Amino acid sequence: MEATNILPSGHTRIDHLEMLGITKRFPGVLANCEVDFSVKSGEVHALLGENGAGKTTLMKVLYGMYHADEGRILLNGEAVNIQSPTDAINNGIGMIHQHFMLVESLTVAENVALGLKSSREPLTDLEMVSDRILELAKIYGLEIDPNAYIWQLSVGQQQRVEIIKALYRGAALLILDEPTAVLTPQEVDEFFVIIREMAKDGHGLIFISHKLHEVIDISDRVSVLRDGRKVGTFQTADATKADLARWMVGREVDFRPEIETVECGEPRLVVRNVSCQSDRDTPGLRDVTLEVLEGEILGIAGVSGNGQRELAEVITGLREPTNGSIELDGEDISHLPPDARTDRLLSYIPEERMKDGMIKDFTVAENLILREHHKHPFSNQGLLNLKAIEEHSEKLINNFQIKTPSQDTLAKSLSGGNIQKVVVARELAREPRVIVAAQPTRGLDVGATEYVRERLLEERKSGTAILLISEDLDEIFALADRIAVIYEGQIMGILERDEATPEKLGLLMAGVKEGAE
């Protein structure tokens, strides 16, 4: 793939961008304190920090979504005033958000064209937009159909649309927030080729990731934030994973939790010949059969959009199966509503934490008791026991290191990682018999990831059956006793952890059985 300079004329070419002394305050929170950060043309600069350390806030200041209380931004040595994302875009700065900013009912081309002037005003010249999308896609290997609707695309494909949208607008500097979360190992390798080509082409890239090995693989420099302050900026070549983790959390981190041998019991969760439809009215699951034993973690590996969500929703009662059965401790729960399954101590950590995991306009404390608010000790004859709720919430906030000004803070005010901690804390505190955990550590820092994984292993040790759905193969290998691979709604194979390799799983995740088993 030959690099081609695609920055349109009229856009700023960013040779060097500096953020100096950036301070940003919110009520009760000092999000950034006198932070310096810089990125150069042709460089990949990684930004690391715990959840709530101030990474996203700093980048939103750069992108014009927040206004700094103190500090300044220099572009090629000249001070710039970025008051809005439009100002950022006009200065050649693009941002790929962790939660994509796409309109699902529009096509790829319509999303890319949204907000831009057309050569055929007042009509939109979608043919010209589509041609440019295909040109960008060819240059950087971002295969996409300009006429496809966003709702028809997998999460990984939607990410490509966001990147193309930024490049279409002439981004010379691109902020990438957790860009590999939805990719297979092979796709990560291909994505890194794209990033290197972009850097070679003169783009500056800011790479935010919780996957330390990826930061080491792809970045030239790395800056670490802790509690809103910069710990330092380091040459990545001189750093190790252990160094990065220690700078982030201020202590040594155990990357490979010790998995004790547990004698598995009887099947607690049995999915037998289950099929269902997807939201697009196409087959979501096709004759899926699997079982999770007492004291076992069964990992589900696969590329995003291959039936993982449908599997989780069928088990938890959010989606009706078209055939087959689901049993919990020998009881057929195939057609029970979600609350009845919850009462049978089935816990669910959903992939879409903001949509399915919590009520964003409720407080942290209210979200922590959502499942049990009507039960003792949180409720007595229809009245909430505020003291019990307060004590329970404080305990979970401390145990899971949830960074919040108070338990009365609205959930929507928290960072994405801390929102995830609230969901995980609530679901694990219920002493469940079965846990369906979909991307339980997505967006969590290394310290919180370590804690959640240890808690899942404790649940396993206590006899809980855990279905772990994760696109992070490191997580699958670290936790799962057996690994099932899902592709286009079908289980391609189930391997013991000892016989599974990234290469075997990668082939199965791509739908290739031959050579994978």
Side-chain angles (χ1 to χ4, degrees):
M1 183 166 51
E2 184 179 349
T4 306
N5 193 326
I6 61 165
L7 300 183
S9 59
H11 281 269
T12 304
R13 183 170 186 90
I14 299 177
D15 293 319
H16 190 220
L17 182 138
E18 294 178 278
M19 304 179 76
L20 301 175
I22 300 298
T23 296
K24 178 61 183 174
R25 301 179 183 88
F26 296 104
V29 178
L30 180 60
N32 292 137
C33 181
E34 299 181 354
V35 176
D36 295 340
F37 183 84
S38 67
V39 63
K40 297 176 288 189
S41 170
E43 175 188 43
V44 180
H45 193 153
L47 187 59
L48 286 177
E50 292 184 272
N51 301 123
K55 306 183 300 298
T56 299
T57 299
L58 185 68
M59 290 300 102
K60 285 186 175 180
V61 167
L62 177 57
Y63 195 58
M65 298 178 75
Y66 293 152
H67 301 154
D69 297 309
E70 299 169 22
R72 56 196 180 125
I73 299 173
L74 302 181
L75 190 63
N76 297 333
E78 300 289 329
V80 290
N81 186 20
I82 300 177
Q83 293 291 313
S84 69
T86 300
D87 289 342
I89 292 166
N90 289 338
N91 280 288
I93 300 170
M95 184 171 183
I96 311 302
H97 299 272
Q98 190 172 355
H99 302 289
F100 303 144
M101 305 292 184
L102 300 171
V103 181
E104 292 195 349
S105 59
L106 299 182
T107 66
V108 170
E110 289 166 343
N111 269 275
V112 171
L114 204 59
L116 296 178
K117 290 184 178 180
S118 169
S119 59
R120 296 176 55 197
E121 293 281 0
L123 301 176
T124 303
D125 191 352
L126 290 181
E127 186 176 339
M128 186 191 76
V129 173
S130 296
D131 289 343
R132 181 63 174 150
I133 289 172
L134 292 173
E135 181 185 351
L136 290 170
K138 183 178 180 181
I139 291 170
Y140 291 108
L142 297 162
E143 294 182 15
I144 205 74
D145 177 4
N147 298 314
Y149 287 94
I150 298 300
W151 63 264
Q152 295 175 317
L153 303 181
S154 69
V155 177
Q157 291 171 319
Q158 291 181 33
Q159 180 193 65
R160 295 177 197 171
V161 178
E162 285 281 24
I163 293 172
I164 286 174
K165 193 169 75 171
L167 292 174
Y168 189 96
R169 284 159 171 74
L173 184 149
L174 202 55
I175 304 163
L176 301 166
D177 193 357
E178 300 279 356
T180 64
V182 297
L183 306 179
T184 67
Q186 290 92 335
E187 288 173 322
V188 170
D189 292 340
E190 293 167 6
F191 182 70
F192 281 2
V193 171
I194 293 166
I195 289 181
R196 291 186 182 103
E197 288 294 333
M198 291 176 69
K200 190 188 300 182
D201 200 31
H203 290 81
L205 296 117
I206 301 172
F207 184 84
I208 303 172
S209 176
H210 293 287
K211 299 177 182 178
L212 301 183
H213 66 280
E214 292 184 355
V215 168
I216 289 173
D217 286 348
I218 196 63
S219 68
D220 302 294
R221 289 191 296 161
V222 54
S223 289
V224 182
L225 298 185
R226 190 194 306 160
D227 296 327
R229 292 172 169 81
K230 189 171 86 168
V231 175
T233 297
F234 311 92
Q235 293 295 322
T236 310
D238 299 330
T240 65
K241 279 178 62 176
D243 291 333
L244 296 178
R246 186 173 62 255
W247 294 330
M248 284 174 64
V249 302
R251 61 175 176 81
E252 299 294 334
V253 175
D254 183 9
F255 290 100
R256 291 193 173 276
E258 186 175 335
I259 301 180
E260 296 182 33
T261 301
V262 174
E263 193 69 35
C264 294
E266 295 297 312
R268 278 208 156 156
L269 175 67
V270 178
V271 177
R272 188 176 287 115
N273 304 120
V274 166
S275 298
C276 74
Q277 293 296 99
S278 71
D279 292 336
R280 306 173 212 172
D281 203 28
T282 58
L285 295 177
R286 307 167 192 248
D287 201 31
V288 168
T289 295
L290 52 84
E291 62 181 25
V292 192
L293 308 180
E294 178 183 355
E296 178 189 43
I297 297 178
L298 175 65
I300 302 290
V303 183
S304 176
N306 275 278
Q308 294 96 321
R309 176 182 295 180
E310 288 84 354
L311 178 61
E313 290 181 350
V314 160
I315 293 171
T316 55
L318 298 174
R319 188 181 298 268
E320 191 73 14
T322 52
N323 66 272
S325 65
I326 301 156
E327 295 178 6
L328 182 65
D329 280 331
E331 179 187 1
D332 191 331
I333 62 167
S334 306
H335 302 289
L336 288 181
D339 59 341
R341 303 185 195 205
T342 296
D343 289 341
R344 285 157 175 77
L345 296 180
L346 171 66
S347 277
Y348 179 35
I349 301 170
E351 178 181 359
E352 296 286 345
R353 56 195 173 212
M354 293 300 291
K355 178 184 174 185
D356 303 322
M358 63 164 44
I359 300 174
K360 61 183 180 179
D361 290 316
F362 276 19
T363 67
V364 171
E366 288 166 342
N367 273 287
L368 285 171
I369 62 160
L370 272 183
R371 296 279 200 188
E372 314 286 337
H373 69 277
H374 57 297
K375 297 179 180 179
H376 178 78
F378 308 126
S379 178
N380 185 19
Q381 295 181 337
L383 298 176
L384 291 176
N385 183 339
L386 298 182
K387 187 168 187 290
I389 293 171
E390 180 182 353
E391 291 174 354
H392 177 75
S393 300
E394 279 303 317
K395 178 182 176 183
L396 294 187
I397 287 169
N398 291 330
N399 286 351
F400 283 82
Q401 301 169 354
I402 300 168
K403 291 189 177 179
T404 174
S406 79
Q407 60 176 260
D408 297 321
T409 299
L410 295 183
K412 65 183 178 183
S413 302
L414 303 185
S415 69
N418 281 295
I419 289 170
Q420 182 75 344
K421 289 181 185 179
V422 172
V423 176
V424 171
R426 180 187 67 226
E427 297 303 316
L428 296 190
R430 300 179 56 240
E431 298 183 358
R433 298 174 68 78
V434 173
I435 299 171
V436 177
Q439 320 298 341
T441 63
R442 175 180 285 176
L444 297 186
D445 58 68
V446 291
T449 295
E450 177 190 43
Y451 182 77
V452 169
R453 290 178 180 176
E454 287 174 351
R455 285 299 307 268
L456 288 173
L457 290 173
E458 286 175 15
E459 293 288 338
R460 166 184 176 268
K461 187 177 178 181
S462 69
T464 306
I466 302 171
L467 185 71
L468 173 66
I469 301 171
S470 179
E471 288 145 25
D472 182 349
L473 283 188
D474 288 341
E475 181 158 87
I476 292 286
F477 280 116
L479 298 178
D481 298 288
R482 292 184 299 138
I483 303 170
V485 178
I486 192 167
Y487 173 74
E488 292 188 348
Q490 294 178 297
I491 299 298
M492 300 297 291
I494 300 178
L495 305 176
E496 297 290 336
R497 180 178 59 218
D498 293 342
E499 64 181 10
T501 65
E503 292 74 23
K504 285 183 179 180
L505 295 185
L507 286 171
L508 291 170
M509 290 162 74
V512 180
K513 277 192 175 183
E514 186 177 349
E517 296 181 350

